[in-house]
Amino acid sequence: MAATWLAANHCRVRILDVREGEEFTGDLGHIEGAEWLPLADLEHVGATLPTDEPIVVVCRSGRRSMDAARALRHLGLPHVAHLAGGMLAWHDFGLPVAHGAQPPLAATDVLVPHGHAEEHYDRVVSQALTDSGAIVWTSASSLLSAGTLSCIDGRSERAVIGSPGGDAGELILALAAFERLADHPIDLAHIPDFFEHWASAFGRFYLHTDIHALERLREALREDPRFAALAHELETDAQMESFVRHPPRALEAPLIEHMLAPAHMGCGHLRLMLQHPDAYGVRPAMVTALLAAGLRHGWRRPGSIHFEVLAGDHAERAVVEILFDRPVAAYTRVAMLVPRGVLGEAFVLHPQVVTYVRHETSGFLVENAARLGIPHVDRARLVAEIDRLGDVQLAETVGHLGATLPRLVMRVSDSGFVVRDADAAD
């Protein structure tokens, strides 16, 4: 596709710019009307694009866009071309450019109704989700090999598979159930070694906080003489985030002490665990030991932890449960959802995907019981206890954070998906 043709016809095609964010907003600018779609998101977002829409892919020189166009055609999009020569060719012809940032395939907002006030709500919301790119597809097995379970928090602007507390919440849940069946507590000295083996088997570990918790943490560190020499390096949000991601080794222990104080935890599910351990059926010392092991592992191997800092206040307007028309297996194609977008903000739950992950986690626990100093535990009983305690914990967290919110069900099948009010879906 020549730059001159695209300049004359850009209103008739959809333009996808697959460069990195700093390139999209950099000196070369971007074509007016182009949508930013980073290459890392191409496969997931591409699977949701309409098949009858003409698309032109753009990059800096035309090399990445050629590969991206080929990948989109493999996804079943027949009308895809790329801009030959990329933005360099566009500039050579003196064609106009735009500047400024934008989110990838920006979503529009659709209000969540109460009850059945809006006729055809399921069709309207389902179409809005499709058009906005808020649905991203992956496979269940990828969650175990390279992905993560994210928290149900509605402030995330990336597509997630949601479970209370994400990976951290699920692993704490499994260990709590394990302790109950073993009928004696895990020796906490075994937790770091156990976590290393868990991380080797399951890949990345998700843990999140939020900007408000970081602000409270900063004030606490300023009052702690152990951090006095670094006070000038902890003045901005960016400095704080960088510090908690890469602290000096000598300050790791006191930093963990502060980060695991409930007031400094931005994950509501994990914070509530520590504030109400009896209701959640957990031992606080085990919770903090596991989180400390996760933080230390992430500091040693930064690529192994997905540490997310969420912005803004909670403004969830619904609880969205995503259900599939068949049990989830390793090969099952599962729909991820962007919590902050078309639905405003929503708590996102994937109960069937979580069931699959729990089954795999239980197998790992049974095979590695000796690492925790625990005799053999029956796997079937462990799965049942994880599910039972998981239901208790989910009810507690939703009760604290979203008890009055409307509940929506997104039902996914081979033919697509539909979003409905839970009362209509049941």
Side-chain angles (χ1 to χ4, degrees), residues 300-332:
R300 301 289 179 273
R301 302 173 181 82
S304 67
I305 188 169
H306 185 120
F307 184 73
E308 187 170 22
V309 179
L310 300 178
D313 299 317
H314 279 287
E316 287 85 359
R317 295 189 290 173
V319 177
V320 180
E321 190 172 89
I322 300 181
L323 300 177
F324 303 90
D325 63 351
R326 66 190 68 178
V328 170
Y331 52 81
T332 304

Side-chain angles (χ1 to χ4, degrees), residues 143-381:
L143 296 171
L144 299 183
S145 61
T148 57
L149 283 177
S150 301
C151 193
I152 62 175
D153 198 301
R155 293 172 293 177
S156 180
E157 295 181 344
R158 63 180 184 83
V160 304
I161 297 289
S163 174
D167 290 326
E170 284 296 321
L171 189 51
I172 291 169
L173 163 65
L175 289 176
F178 197 68
E179 282 191 331
R180 284 170 172 263
L181 292 186
D183 203 28
H184 66 82
I186 295 168
D187 183 345
L188 300 184
H190 293 307
I191 292 292
D193 175 69
F194 167 81
F195 186 88
E196 290 298 316
H197 283 83
W198 181 90
S200 296
F202 287 89
R204 300 177 75 201
F205 180 70
Y206 173 91
L207 190 62
H208 87 83
T209 186
D210 65 24
I211 198 66
H212 304 305
L214 277 186
E215 290 170 354
R216 294 190 293 270
L217 175 62
R218 175 168 55 206
E219 294 306 312
L221 297 186
R222 284 176 173 173
E223 296 176 3
D224 187 331
R226 293 173 292 183
F227 295 87
L230 296 176
H232 65 287
E233 299 179 18
L234 306 177
E235 295 178 352
T236 68
D237 293 341
Q239 287 176 323
M240 271 301 300
E241 183 173 343
S242 177
F243 180 72
V244 299
R245 290 183 186 277
H246 310 287
R249 184 165 294 202
L251 291 175
E252 287 180 359
L255 179 59
I256 287 173
E257 175 188 324
H258 282 290
M259 288 183 70
L260 299 186
H264 305 151
M265 298 177 70
C267 175
H269 181 73
L270 299 181
R271 181 180 67 249
L272 288 165
M273 271 189 178
L274 291 177
Q275 292 172 327
H276 310 282
D278 291 341
Y280 279 79
V282 298
R283 187 163 56 103
M286 187 273 288
V287 174
T288 56
L290 188 283
L291 294 176
L295 288 169
R296 289 185 185 278
H297 179 82
W299 291 332
R300 301 289 179 273
R301 302 173 181 82
S304 67
I305 188 169
H306 185 120
F307 184 73
E308 187 170 22
V309 179
L310 300 178
D313 299 317
H314 279 287
E316 287 85 359
R317 295 189 290 173
V319 177
V320 180
E321 190 172 89
I322 300 181
L323 300 177
F324 303 90
D325 63 351
R326 66 190 68 178
V328 170
Y331 52 81
T332 304
R333 188 167 176 254
V334 297
M336 305 170 73
L337 177 64
V338 179
R340 191 176 193 174
V342 169
L343 301 176
E345 289 185 14
F347 293 113
V348 177
L349 298 166
H350 284 77
Q352 290 163 291
V353 181
V354 168
T355 295
Y356 165 75
V357 173
R358 288 176 181 173
H359 183 268
E360 299 303 315
T361 302
S362 67
F364 180 83
L365 284 173
V366 168
E367 291 181 12
N368 289 272
R371 295 189 183 279
L372 294 169
I374 301 292
H376 177 75
V377 171
D378 180 76
R379 184 175 183 181
R381 291 183 61 212

Side-chain angles (χ1 to χ4, degrees), residues 47-215:
T48 72
L49 297 175
T51 58
D52 60 348
E53 189 171 34
I55 294 172
V56 176
V57 188
V58 177
C59 70
R60 180 178 181 273
S61 65
R63 186 173 300 172
R64 283 172 290 174
S65 61
M66 181 184 298
D67 292 338
R70 186 181 301 114
L72 290 175
R73 286 192 289 270
H74 278 300
L75 290 173
L77 303 174
H79 310 298
V80 182
H82 81 285
L83 175 60
M87 289 302 297
L88 294 177
W90 189 267
H91 272 266
D92 287 344
F93 283 100
L95 297 169
V97 297
H99 292 277
Q102 66 172 241
L105 295 182
T108 56
D109 190 44
V110 175
L111 297 178
V112 175
H114 295 278
H116 308 287
E118 184 174 336
E119 187 178 5
H120 305 309
Y121 169 68
D122 56 340
R123 179 184 58 79
V124 172
V125 175
S126 300
Q127 189 61 49
L129 288 169
T130 300
D131 292 345
S132 68
I135 300 297
V136 174
W137 298 92
T138 188
S139 66
S141 62
S142 69
L143 296 171
L144 299 183
S145 61
T148 57
L149 283 177
S150 301
C151 193
I152 62 175
D153 198 301
R155 293 172 293 177
S156 180
E157 295 181 344
R158 63 180 184 83
V160 304
I161 297 289
S163 174
D167 290 326
E170 284 296 321
L171 189 51
I172 291 169
L173 163 65
L175 289 176
F178 197 68
E179 282 191 331
R180 284 170 172 263
L181 292 186
D183 203 28
H184 66 82
I186 295 168
D187 183 345
L188 300 184
H190 293 307
I191 292 292
D193 175 69
F194 167 81
F195 186 88
E196 290 298 316
H197 283 83
W198 181 90
S200 296
F202 287 89
R204 300 177 75 201
F205 180 70
Y206 173 91
L207 190 62
H208 87 83
T209 186
D210 65 24
I211 198 66
H212 304 305
L214 277 186
E215 290 170 354

